Amino acid sequence: AERGLRGLQGDALRLLGSLYRDKGDLTEAERLAQLALENLTGEEQIRSRGEALLLMGKIYHDMGNPTASQRWAEESYRVAEQEGDRRIELAALPLLGSLSLHRGDLDHAEELFQQAITLAKDIGDKRVEGSTLYLLGSVDLNQGDLLPAMERLKDAINLFQEMANRRGEAWSTLTLGTALARGGNNEAGKTFVRRALDICRELGDKWAEPWCLRALGEISLAEKDLLEAESNYQEALSKSHSTGDRGVLPELYLGLAEVCLNKGQAEQALEYTRLAREVVSEDDLYSQATTQRVQGTALAALGRDQEAEECFKGSVAAIEGTGFRPEIARCYQEYASFLEKTGRGEEAVAVRQKVSMRN
């Protein structure tokens, strides 16, 4: 009887933790999920434990701690295989794929997402089908394949709207707005991102809000609306501190650094890149590369060419083995531009040739 009661308590704590995660209170969500695991220890509770393990993986993913997230997600997947529980397996596959995407292994991420979408259709789980379409669109976006990304994201939005899944609709809409802007349609991009932000605010999703504001900052920066970009990044930074999400911080600091560079404030830009480097995780190769690239630009603006070159080389080394094609090209191009400005034209040509060979 006591074990049965502990199991019920564990399930209740897990569900409560999931609700707090949905609201963006990751610290409380983590506490509740941990308590759930402490209650779900019996053999008869193994499936509930698998769901709680997966919740921990999702929480750490949202916190920007991919190493911990990977550990919990893999343990959950092992439970699913052991118990033959296809629903836990289905829920774990998109998270494992997201972690591969985070590491820059886009081919493996796509493989896991394709497994998930096949299983989702087999089981009839439209929620995971929509989520996986959104994630496949994110893979396309990170590879620079904008048209396929937009098609998948539109399909995801339609599916989420059919189910009245507002959270899924918001994330897919946000990513579609980003894709449109990166394709040169800033006005449409802003419209979709603002729509996503409105949905997140209606839902009270504090975790997603900074990501929407970051996207608006990126678009404003591209339009050279520095006042608006800075406002977006600062608001996102302020809101992110209350959620416990460290994953968004590097991008916000780097956005502010780029605003400062556009204003001619290289010293302040350098300080923001220092803050970004302090919070970048070891396996976040994308943020490692972008941080060193922007830091190199700031150092070059200050005439600190030797340090700048080390940063540009570091950015290329970090991004080289990933599938983030647009950022790979940008790191190489900005390193080549630096070499040209310092009178090393032949070396710049060689660096640009590497980009051409990759394309």
Side-chain angles (χ1 to χ4, degrees):
E2 184 182 345
R3 279 194 174 184
L5 180 59
R6 284 174 63 83
L8 289 172
Q9 288 175 335
D11 276 331
L13 288 162
R14 174 181 58 79
L15 291 169
L16 196 55
S18 184
L19 288 172
Y20 272 92
R21 174 181 174 254
D22 287 346
K23 292 295 183 183
D25 189 342
L26 301 178
T27 304
E28 183 63 9
E30 180 191 14
R31 187 185 73 83
L32 291 164
Q34 191 66 60
L35 286 172
L37 285 169
E38 290 172 11
N39 280 273
L40 298 169
T41 55
E43 285 298 320
E44 68 278 10
Q45 297 151 1
I46 188 69
R47 292 192 178 188
S48 291
R49 183 173 177 79
E51 292 178 344
L53 290 166
L54 182 59
L55 176 59
M56 287 291 283
K58 291 178 177 179
I59 291 166
Y60 279 114
H61 172 270
D62 294 353
M63 284 181 163
N65 188 339
T67 303
S69 180
Q70 184 81 31
R71 184 174 68 250
W72 291 107
E74 287 176 353
E75 193 171 344
S76 172
Y77 192 77
R78 279 195 294 272
V79 170
E81 288 190 314
Q82 176 186 327
E83 295 297 307
D85 192 320
R86 299 175 79 202
R87 290 199 174 275
I88 298 178
E89 180 186 350
L90 176 58
L93 281 168
L95 176 57
L96 289 166
S98 295
L99 292 163
S100 290
L101 173 58
H102 177 85
R103 291 192 300 273
D105 190 351
L106 273 60
D107 289 340
H108 188 232
E110 185 162 11
E111 180 184 329
L112 291 169
F113 294 148
Q114 291 291 1
Q115 286 180 36
I117 208 164
T118 300
L119 184 54
K121 288 179 177 178
D122 189 31
I123 292 175
D125 191 323
K126 288 189 174 292
R127 183 185 62 80
V128 175
E129 185 181 344
S131 298
T132 309
L133 277 171
Y134 148 69
L135 289 165
L136 283 165
S138 298
V139 171
D140 291 331
L141 177 62
N142 279 285
Q143 289 176 328
D145 298 329
L146 299 180
L147 290 178
M150 291 179 203
E151 289 305 310
R152 279 174 161 161
L153 292 164
K154 288 174 185 175
D155 288 343
I157 290 168
N158 290 336
L159 203 53
F160 284 128
Q161 287 176 338
E162 285 175 20
M163 294 183 288
N165 185 326
R166 299 284 279 161
R167 182 163 284 102
E169 181 187 349
W171 277 101
S172 301
T173 302
L174 165 61
T175 310
L176 177 58
T178 302
L180 285 163
R182 290 183 185 176
N185 193 340
N186 288 328
E187 282 306 311
K190 279 190 285 191
T191 297
F192 278 92
V193 174
R194 284 174 179 150
R195 188 179 301 166
L197 180 59
D198 288 342
I199 295 172
C200 292
R201 285 175 171 164
E202 287 170 19
L203 294 171
D205 189 342
K206 295 177 183 177
W207 181 68
E209 204 173 328
W211 289 96
C212 295
L213 290 163
R214 186 216 64 79
L216 287 173
E218 179 184 311
I219 297 170
S220 296
L221 184 60
E223 293 179 323
K224 300 299 181 184
D225 186 345
L226 303 183
L227 190 63
E228 182 66 16
E230 185 172 16
S231 173
N232 291 145
Y233 287 130
Q234 289 288 10
E235 185 180 357
L237 195 60
S238 174
K239 290 181 180 296
S240 68
H241 289 311
S242 67
T243 66
D245 176 15
R246 290 170 62 87
V248 72
L249 292 178
E251 298 197 37
L252 300 180
Y253 287 134
L254 292 179
L256 287 165
E258 297 220 54
V259 168
C260 289
L261 285 170
N262 276 274
K263 289 181 175 181
Q265 299 169 350
E267 285 285 2
Q268 184 59 52
L270 190 60
E271 175 60 16
Y272 278 126
T273 64
R274 184 189 66 77
L275 292 170
R277 291 192 79 156
E278 286 180 358
V279 293
V280 172
S281 64
E282 287 184 10
D283 53 359
D284 185 353
L285 298 178
Y286 182 91
S287 292
Q288 284 188 29
T290 54
T291 300
Q292 291 183 82
R293 173 176 57 74
V294 178
Q295 193 165 42
T297 304
L299 287 164
L302 293 167
R304 295 161 62 176
D305 289 349
Q306 187 173 350
E307 295 169 85
E309 183 165 7
E310 288 303 310
C311 286
F312 285 123
K313 285 180 177 178
S315 72
V316 168
I319 204 73
E320 177 66 36
T322 73
F324 299 123
R325 291 199 297 261
E327 184 59 24
I328 290 171
R330 190 169 181 185
C331 287
Y332 272 110
Q333 294 289 3
E334 294 198 14
Y335 181 29
S337 295
F338 166 78
L339 291 169
E340 285 175 344
K341 289 173 185 175
T342 52
R344 295 154 66 186
E346 289 185 8
E347 291 177 63
V349 169
V351 169
R352 291 191 194 282
Q353 284 176 340
K354 289 183 180 178
V355 180
S356 299
M357 289 171 64
R358 291 188 65 97
N359 294 335

